[in-house]
């Protein structure tokens, strides 16, 4: 059985960066993270073992330093940290920073800001904060059609990991309703490259194993995309979920890790699949 790993797999730039930040800072001083650092329970558990806790608010921490994750936060968190005398180490991904800055600028320039994205996603909550809570959030063309607009000048940004086709349809709907629509395509290129790699992989193998947190929307999307190509696909979080029966008679297996999946877990998955083959032949 041949095992192929996708051209883009494992941590994206922003996640790699924030993990390095936590590792570096936690050696210097005790730190917590505001929210789980990434959508991957394996990594979150490992951090906990090192004493880095995911707190849901700044008030909850007993430490003097907290790391902001790649998704970013609304600006009032920085003010709250100052009041509580907590040192913030900012791991906001630079691509997310662009979305925040664009939303802020559009708001200051008098546009009605629309964020295309998932309302409850931490990144979107952070971005909306940069418009003093004024931005409207839409996640579907239907919402873009019906959301109450107060102005005829609309400024649009999009969540970094949002689907391009749905984003474009939302923009089209807004264009039917406004005189001016200023659009910034703030999607992150990692998402596209990874999705293209998943599609390519699915066309080359018989079975695809998508590795990543079940709560990671980018990983779930990779699973959907691979399955759509007509290949047998499985979404797992850890090698323990693998079943040897999935590989009976299979010659080529493809593996892809989500943006928050450590390379180590991908390698463990490879090893486990290889071990099935050995036990099968012995
Ligand atoms: S997916 Fe893109 S925007 Fe999000 S953390 Fe990774 S590199 Fe940054």
């Amino acid at each position: 059985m041949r095992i192929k790993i996708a051209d883009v797999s494992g941590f994206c730039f922003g996640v790699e960066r924030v993990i390095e930040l936590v590792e570096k800072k936690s050696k210097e001083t005790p730190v917590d993270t505001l929210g789980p650092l990434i959508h991957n329970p394996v990594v979150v558990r490992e951090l906990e073992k090192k004493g880095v806790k995911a707190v849901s608010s700044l008030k909850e921490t007993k430490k003097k330093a907290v790391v902001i994750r790649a998704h970013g936060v609304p600006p009032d968190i920085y003010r709250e940290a100052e009041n509580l005398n907590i040192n913030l180490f900012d791991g906001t991904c630079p691509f997310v920073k662009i979305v925040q800055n664009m939303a802020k600028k559009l708001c200051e320039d008098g546009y009605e800001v629309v964020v295309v994205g998932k309302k409850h996603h931490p990144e979107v909550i952070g971005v909306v904060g940069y418009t003093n809570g004024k931005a409207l959030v839409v996640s579907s063309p239907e919402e873009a059609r019906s959301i109450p607009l107060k102005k005829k000048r609309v400024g649009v940004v999009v969540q970094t990991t949002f689907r391009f086709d749905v984003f474009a349809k939302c923009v089209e709907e807004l264009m039917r309703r406004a005189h001016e629509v200023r659009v910034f395509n703030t999607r992150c290129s990692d998402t596209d490259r990874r999705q293209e790699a998943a599609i390519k992989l699915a066309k080359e193998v018989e079975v695809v194993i998508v590795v990543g947190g079940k709560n990671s929307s980018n990983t779930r999307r990779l699973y959907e995309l691979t399955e759509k190509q007509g290949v047998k696909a499985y979404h797992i979080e850890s090698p323990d979920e693998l079943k040897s029966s999935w590989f009976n008679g299979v010659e080529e297996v493809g593996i892809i890790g989500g943006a928050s999946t450590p390379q180590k877990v991908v390698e463990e998955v490879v090893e486990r699949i290889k071990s099935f083959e050995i036990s099968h032949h012995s």
Side-chain angles (χ1 to χ4, degrees):
M1 186 161 53
R2 278 184 301 275
I3 300 177
K4 209 169 183 170
I5 296 178
D7 298 340
V8 182
S9 175
F11 288 162
C12 65
F13 159 78
V15 165
E16 179 106 50
R17 192 172 162 273
V18 76
I19 287 184
E20 271 170 25
L21 180 72
V22 171
E23 277 174 358
K24 186 166 163 263
K25 294 299 177 190
S26 62
K27 280 184 197 131
E28 296 166 7
T29 178
V31 294
D32 281 337
T33 64
L34 190 52
L37 193 61
I38 56 174
H39 292 151
N40 189 292
V42 180
V43 175
V44 173
R45 271 198 302 273
E46 268 181 25
L47 284 170
E48 264 171 22
K49 274 190 226 146
K50 291 183 192 163
V52 180
K53 236 180 84 183
V55 291
S56 53
S57 76
L58 289 178
K59 287 194 189 79
E60 210 182 284
T61 184
K62 298 199 172 53
K63 298 174 188 157
K64 282 280 145 232
V66 168
V67 172
I68 302 288
R69 57 191 175 172
H71 292 320
V73 290
D76 48 3
I77 296 286
Y78 296 87
R79 287 192 286 273
E80 192 187 351
E82 243 182 74
N83 293 339
L84 294 170
N85 232 343
I86 292 172
N87 205 356
L88 285 187
F89 298 123
D90 196 349
T92 308
C93 176
F95 295 128
V96 174
K97 266 264 138 301
I98 294 174
V99 196
Q100 295 173 343
N101 292 339
M102 288 299 184
K104 183 166 185 259
K105 172 102 183 44
L106 285 166
C107 187
E108 284 166 359
D109 290 349
Y111 287 90
E112 170 119 54
V113 180
V114 175
V115 183
V116 180
K118 297 258 187 293
K119 206 177 189 135
H120 301 293
H121 192 284
E123 177 188 319
V124 173
I125 294 172
V127 171
V128 171
Y130 277 82
T131 63
N132 287 324
K134 285 195 217 136
L136 303 167
V137 182
V138 302
S139 63
S140 68
E142 293 72 37
E143 276 174 23
R145 201 177 305 145
S146 59
I147 201 141
L149 296 175
K150 286 190 282 309
K151 296 179 186 171
K152 289 286 182 192
R153 291 173 77 218
V154 176
V156 187
V157 293
V158 56
Q159 185 183 341
T160 52
T161 48
F162 203 77
R163 281 176 61 165
F164 180 80
D165 52 348
V166 182
F167 164 53
K169 285 202 187 95
C170 291
V171 171
E172 189 190 322
E173 291 299 336
L174 293 168
M175 281 174 42
R176 291 183 201 280
R177 302 181 56 200
H179 294 319
E180 183 191 345
V181 181
R182 193 137 192 246
V183 186
F184 288 99
N185 179 2
T186 46
R187 293 171 70 258
C188 146
S189 57
D190 182 274
T191 313
D192 286 341
R193 289 195 298 117
R194 194 177 299 267
Q195 292 181 356
E196 277 159 23
I199 293 169
K200 182 167 164 260
L201 184 72
K203 287 181 177 152
E204 292 168 351
V205 298
E206 295 151 75
V207 172
V208 176
I209 307 294
V210 181
V211 192
K214 297 268 160 73
N215 56 351
S216 151
S217 51
N218 94 76
T219 311
R220 278 209 305 270
R221 179 85 187 121
L222 292 178
Y223 167 73
E224 281 165 23
L225 278 174
T226 44
E227 210 190 22
K228 237 192 208 161
Q229 309 309 311
V231 77
K232 191 88 201 120
Y234 300 95
H235 177 182
I236 60 165
E237 246 170 39
S238 86
D240 295 340
E241 291 165 63
L242 289 165
K243 291 200 174 67
S244 62
S245 57
W246 297 349
F247 309 101
N248 284 346
V250 171
E251 280 181 13
E252 257 193 305
V253 180
I255 300 176
I256 184 161
S260 47
T261 307
Q263 196 52 33
K264 205 178 83 192
V265 180
V266 173
E267 279 159 21
E268 283 166 12
V269 169
V270 172
E271 289 314 310
R272 186 70 61 93
I273 295 174
K274 280 187 188 158
S275 77
F276 288 151
E277 203 173 27
I278 294 163
S279 56
H280 191 73
H281 287 299
S282 55

